[in-house]
């Protein structure tokens, strides 16, 4: 596999993960009126999305590509 071909794919995947994480953070506010169980589920989902984003950021950093935090 050509490493230079994977950079754009990895960057695109990171951007999708970052957008997903931002969206999930917004959902926490949206479910605030639904009670503690909904808030807890939204927080857990947002944490998983942040972890995915951090994983892709680390992969890009290992390749020498810096991404905004």
């Amino acid at each position: 596999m050509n490493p230079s071909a994977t950079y754009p794919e990895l960057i695109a995947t990171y951007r999708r993960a970052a957008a997903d994480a931002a969206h999930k953070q917004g959902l926490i506010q949206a479910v605030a009126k639904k009670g503690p169980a909904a808030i807890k589920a939204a927080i857990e989902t947002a944490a998983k999305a942040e972890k995915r984003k951090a994983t892709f950021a680390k992969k890009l950093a290992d390749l020498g590509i810096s991404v905004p935090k």
Side-chain angles (χ1 to χ4, degrees):
M1 178 183 271
N2 185 355
S4 64
T6 61
Y7 292 165
E9 293 170 8
L10 192 56
I11 291 170
T13 302
Y14 168 79
R15 287 183 179 153
R16 284 191 302 272
D20 185 46
H23 174 70
K24 301 281 196 244
Q25 287 292 337
L27 288 178
I28 294 171
Q29 296 298 323
V31 300
K33 298 175 186 170
K34 296 187 182 233
I39 294 170
K40 182 180 178 205
I43 289 171
E44 289 171 356
T45 302
K48 288 177 187 176
E50 283 293 328
K51 188 173 181 182
R52 274 193 304 275
K53 175 184 157 190
T55 299
F56 288 114
K58 183 179 180 330
K59 287 181 183 181
L60 286 168
D62 290 345
L63 295 172
I65 301 170
S66 63
V67 293
K69 299 245 176 189

